[in-house]
């Protein structure tokens, strides 16, 4: 009724009313049809734009429509899957920095340059794998690796074919060859025995000049409860061993206890990891491992430094292994690992610098490099988003301004009625980005006046807004795309001033006693 062209005599207002009335008519066509309404209620406009609805039988329930939409999405994802290789890689660089703490000054005092510690790269490892989906059930995997240590090294290449045989299991055949070892043939099988128990078996035949070396590994796992898994592993052939472990993983912690009896290593290990519930996904961890090879204590932390990157550092202190610092960076599906061997002895100075050094460097880099980079990246993304939506936002702004002009007469009548009953009158209302924090004082305030459209929504001295973005309300538009927005309202009820600020997607109901402005303040 507000936008009906016949309600407006002014030619300019009539033209604006016709455009807005057509938008209302389009919305009516969607919402009056049970099928399109169900699609819109569940998925919004993107659901209406999805191709394939023309073949969907009409008169379906919302649940059936949801299933159909998910089927169409799966088909689209399968098409994308055909073009995806899912690359995974690891780069490991071993660094020998023992000269920092274990120096032989007397022997090298006459050698030129001996006053500087000698830090060397003593080993490297690179591995990479790609996947190629052949059908919905078959996947080909190609992987390779290169390793070198103290000037000697080699590599291998492997090809595997995996087939999903049913919802309960899959099988994989692997063929490989390398320059240090002969051909390799392997077979791996996974099977769900029960809903809470599965088994994995891996058989391998390694051909070499010394003959055939067979190997067999079997893992039996069972859900002990919602968050706990138990594992039994038996390995025969190359480094035979039996291993049992219990892993408990919850929202805030990860705990593992394991016991292994084998040749050449037998050990017991306990580890604990605490997960902080912050946006950086910070985790601290510690572990104790003791066996025939000695005792190792490890402690460390990891933290998310960007959308796709996680940085972690672990200090390893052991007998007779000495002290090491392990730095790991996970970037999407790539892993970069840098183990730094500091000393062969248990030196307190090495433990101190291995612990404090990475913390100081991290906080310095986070403050001077990472944080400014992420801030600049966010600004670039917002600017790009603003540019891509500039024409759409301009259109929404023009529609909102036209709607406000068309609301003037209705708002005047609403205010008169509310004043007569001492009801709800919106004195001022703003929508957009507010800057109240002193740390953000350099940021620009971006708000629009929504007093008129908000007053137009008042009915019987009440204003009710649901949990949805307020940018879609009549007379509103988004003044700061991609940024946090709020609605601030100063209103009068029963002759008394009230004020409230609510988040963009927060439900709002006024008047409320808690919004009342204290006259003493």
């Amino acid at each position: 009724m507000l936008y009906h062209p016949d309600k407006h005599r002014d030619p300019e207002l009539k033209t604006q009313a016709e455009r807005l009335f057509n938008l209302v008519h389009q919305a009516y066509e969607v919402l009056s049809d049970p099928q399109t309404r169900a699609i819109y209620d569940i998925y919004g406009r993107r659901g209406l734009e999805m191709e394939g609805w023309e073949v969907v039988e009409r008169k379906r329930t919302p649940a059936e429509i949801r299933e159909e939409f998910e089927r169409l999405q799966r088909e689209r994802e399968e098409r994308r899957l055909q073009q995806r290789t899912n690359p995974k890689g690891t780069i490991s660089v071993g660094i020998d920095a023992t000269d920092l703490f274990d120096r032989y000054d007397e022997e090298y005092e006459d050698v030129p340059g001996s006053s500087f510690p000698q830090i060397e790269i003593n080993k490297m490892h690179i591995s990479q794998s790609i996947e190629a989906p052949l059908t919905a059930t078959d996947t080909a995997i190609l992987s390779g690796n290169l390793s070198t240590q103290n000037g000697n090294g080699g590599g291998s290449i492997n090809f595997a074919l995996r087939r999903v045989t049913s919802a309960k299991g899959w099988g994989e055949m692997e063929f490989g060859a390398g320059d240090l070892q002969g051909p390799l043939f392997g077979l791996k099988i996974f099977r769900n025995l029960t809903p809470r128990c599965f088994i994995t078996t891996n058989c391998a035949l390694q051909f070499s000049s010394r003959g055939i070396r067979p190997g067999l590994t079997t893992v039996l796992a069972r859900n002990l409860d919602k968050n706990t898994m138990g594992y039994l592993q038996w390995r025969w052939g190359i480094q035979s061993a039996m291993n049992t472990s219990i892993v408990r993983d919850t929202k805030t912690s990860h705990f593992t206890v394991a016991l292994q009896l084998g040749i050449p290593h037998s050990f017991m290990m306990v580890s604990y990891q605490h997960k902080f519930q912050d946006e950086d996904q910070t985790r601290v961890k510690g572990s104790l491992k003791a066996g025939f090879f000695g005792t190792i204590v490890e402690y460390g932390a990891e933290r998310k430094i960007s959308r796709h990157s996680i940085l972690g550092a672990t200090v390893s202190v052991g007998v007779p292994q000495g002290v090491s610092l392990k730095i790991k960076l996970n970037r999407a599906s790539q892993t970069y690992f840098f183990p730094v061997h500091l000393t062969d002895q248990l030196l307190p100075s090495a433990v101190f610098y291995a612990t404090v050094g990475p913390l100081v460097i991290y906080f310095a880099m986070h403050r001077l490099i990472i944080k400014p980079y992420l801030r600049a990246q966010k600004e670039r993304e917002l600017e790009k988003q603003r540019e891509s939506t500039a024409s759409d936002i301009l259109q929404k702004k023009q529609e909102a301004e036209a709607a406000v002009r068309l609301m003037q007469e209705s708002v005047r009548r609403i205010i008169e009625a509310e004043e007569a009953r001492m009801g709800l009158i919106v004195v001022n209302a703003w929508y957009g980005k507010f800057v109240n924090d002193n740390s953000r004082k350099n940021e620009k305030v971006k708000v629009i006046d929504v007093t008129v459209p908000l007053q137009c929504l008042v009915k019987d001295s009440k204003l009710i807004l649901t949990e949805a973005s307020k940018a879609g309300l009549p007379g509103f538009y988004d003044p700061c795309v991609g940024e946090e927005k709020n609605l601030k309202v100063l209103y009068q009820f029963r002759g008394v001033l009230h004020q409230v600020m609510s988040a963009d997607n927060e439900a709002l109901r006024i008047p409320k006693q808690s919004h009342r402005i204290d006259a003493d303040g």
Side-chain angles (χ1 to χ4, degrees):
M1 292 177 64
L2 180 66
Y3 297 148
H4 199 287
D6 294 343
K7 295 277 185 180
H8 305 278
R9 297 180 181 180
D10 184 277
E12 184 180 350
L13 293 179
K14 192 178 185 72
T15 302
Q16 295 171 351
E18 287 177 352
R19 186 170 66 252
L20 295 174
F21 187 77
N22 288 334
L23 293 176
V24 175
H25 180 66
Q26 293 173 12
Y28 176 78
E29 287 183 337
V30 171
L31 300 179
S32 60
D33 185 306
Q35 175 169 325
T36 55
R37 175 166 188 146
I39 296 170
Y40 181 80
D41 287 347
I42 299 171
Y43 302 105
R45 285 192 177 185
R46 69 185 182 94
L48 297 172
E49 294 168 359
M50 172 69 69
E51 296 179 1
W53 289 117
E54 62 275 4
V55 299
V56 179
E57 182 184 353
R58 300 185 66 81
K59 297 183 180 179
R60 288 195 172 189
T61 64
E64 292 172 329
I65 290 175
R66 180 191 293 271
E67 292 176 1
E68 191 66 28
F69 181 83
E70 292 173 350
R71 183 188 67 80
L72 292 172
Q73 277 194 318
R74 284 196 301 270
E75 290 179 354
R76 185 173 61 179
E77 289 299 323
E78 287 176 2
R79 288 194 295 269
R80 290 179 179 176
L81 191 65
Q82 302 301 322
Q83 305 172 355
R84 190 174 63 189
T85 58
N86 191 26
K88 298 178 182 177
T90 300
I91 296 177
S92 177
V93 179
I95 301 172
D96 183 358
T98 55
D99 204 35
L100 288 171
F101 299 94
D102 297 336
R103 301 206 64 191
Y104 300 94
D105 295 331
E106 294 181 359
E107 295 183 22
Y108 294 101
E109 61 182 2
D110 296 329
V111 178
S114 63
S115 59
F116 297 97
Q118 300 296 314
I119 299 177
E120 302 175 346
I121 294 177
N122 59 1
K123 57 184 176 181
M124 293 185 65
H125 174 80
I126 299 175
S127 64
Q128 187 75 27
S129 69
I130 57 173
E131 297 181 2
L134 305 178
T135 66
T137 58
D138 295 335
T139 303
I141 305 168
L142 182 65
S143 62
N145 66 81
L146 293 170
S147 300
T148 178
Q149 184 170 359
N150 297 325
N152 299 315
S156 65
I157 186 169
N158 296 70
F159 174 77
L161 184 63
R162 180 186 300 160
R163 165 167 287 189
V164 179
T165 55
S166 67
K168 292 186 176 181
W170 51 266
E172 181 178 298
M173 294 182 64
E174 181 180 11
F175 304 89
D179 59 346
L180 297 181
Q181 296 178 338
L184 170 72
F185 172 75
L187 178 64
K188 189 174 184 178
I189 299 174
F190 171 87
R191 180 75 177 177
N192 279 314
L193 302 178
T194 69
R196 300 180 61 184
C197 182
F198 68 85
I199 187 171
T200 301
T201 300
N202 188 6
C203 308
L205 293 176
Q206 180 72 63
F207 298 87
S208 66
S209 58
R210 292 178 293 177
I212 301 176
R213 300 177 64 189
L216 176 65
T217 301
T218 300
V219 179
L220 178 65
R222 178 178 174 81
N223 279 97
L224 303 180
D225 61 33
K226 181 181 178 181
N227 300 307
T228 308
M229 287 288 295
Y231 297 90
L232 288 173
Q233 182 186 78
W234 177 60
R235 188 167 62 243
W236 171 80
I238 305 171
Q239 294 186 349
S240 299
M242 293 185 65
N243 182 293
T244 180
S245 60
I246 295 176
V247 179
R248 180 169 178 80
D249 191 12
T250 66
K251 188 177 181 180
T252 59
S253 65
H254 183 93
F255 175 77
T256 302
V257 57
L259 175 64
Q260 175 173 303
L261 300 175
I263 303 171
H265 296 307
S266 294
F267 64 86
M268 181 175 182
M269 188 268 290
V270 178
S271 70
Y272 177 79
Q273 182 181 92
H274 183 75
K275 307 173 186 177
F276 291 92
Q277 303 303 304
D278 57 354
E279 60 179 10
D280 294 325
Q281 300 178 9
T282 305
R283 300 183 179 189
V284 294
K285 54 187 176 181
S287 67
L288 172 64
K289 190 174 183 180
F292 294 164
F293 53 81
T295 303
I296 299 176
V297 176
E298 291 188 342
Y299 57 91
E302 65 179 37
R303 196 175 195 184
K304 188 175 182 180
I305 58 175
S306 69
R307 184 183 303 176
H308 303 292
S309 301
I310 298 176
L311 180 65
T314 303
V315 178
S316 177
V317 182
V319 177
Q321 290 81 5
V323 181
S324 298
L325 172 64
K326 303 173 183 178
I327 300 173
K328 183 169 70 171
L329 174 65
N330 288 326
R331 172 71 179 173
S333 59
Q334 303 294 314
T335 300
Y336 304 90
F337 186 54
F338 303 92
V340 183
H341 188 47
L342 299 177
T343 174
D344 294 322
Q345 305 175 43
L346 292 182
L347 298 179
S349 59
V351 177
F352 174 80
Y353 285 111
T355 304
V356 177
L359 290 175
V360 173
I361 294 173
Y362 168 76
F363 284 112
M365 290 183 60
H366 187 267
R367 188 172 187 84
L368 301 176
I369 299 176
I370 298 175
K371 202 171 181 180
Y373 171 77
L374 293 178
R375 189 184 302 115
Q377 186 182 46
K378 184 178 180 181
E379 286 296 327
R380 287 195 299 269
E381 291 176 353
L382 287 175
E383 189 61 33
K384 187 176 180 180
Q385 188 177 2
R386 292 190 195 104
E387 291 176 359
S388 63
T389 60
S391 59
D392 185 50
I393 293 299
L394 180 60
Q395 180 183 350
K396 295 291 185 184
K397 180 181 179 181
Q398 293 172 349
E399 292 175 358
E401 291 173 347
V404 169
R405 287 192 290 270
L406 296 172
M407 291 175 182
Q408 297 290 347
E409 183 61 28
S410 295
V411 167
R412 184 184 61 80
R413 291 195 298 268
I414 292 172
I415 291 177
E416 289 178 355
E418 293 297 324
E419 285 178 341
R421 63 164 74 109
M422 294 285 288
L424 177 59
I425 299 174
V426 178
V427 179
N428 278 308
W430 303 270
Y431 173 68
K433 177 183 177 182
F434 296 84
V435 179
N436 300 320
D437 189 352
N438 291 331
S439 63
R440 300 166 58 196
K441 60 183 178 181
N442 294 327
E443 298 183 24
K444 185 179 179 181
V445 177
K446 303 172 185 177
V447 297
I448 58 174
D449 189 336
V450 291
T451 305
V452 172
L454 213 57
Q455 183 70 66
C456 193
L457 295 174
V458 173
K459 185 176 181 181
D460 298 330
S461 299
K462 294 179 182 179
L463 175 63
I464 301 174
L465 303 179
T466 58
E467 292 182 355
S469 175
K470 297 168 179 62
L473 294 173
F476 284 63
Y477 69 93
D478 193 341
C480 45
V481 177
E483 299 185 64
E484 184 179 341
K485 291 174 282 290
N486 290 276
L487 175 64
K488 185 176 182 180
V489 186
L490 178 66
Y491 64 93
Q492 184 175 305
F493 182 70
R494 298 286 187 258
V496 179
L497 285 176
H498 296 65
Q499 183 172 282
V500 62
M501 179 178 283
S502 69
D504 186 27
N505 291 290
E506 182 182 355
L508 177 64
R509 186 185 183 96
I510 59 177
K512 274 190 176 181
Q513 184 69 24
S514 58
H515 300 164
R516 182 169 176 164
I517 299 177
D518 189 356
D520 297 336

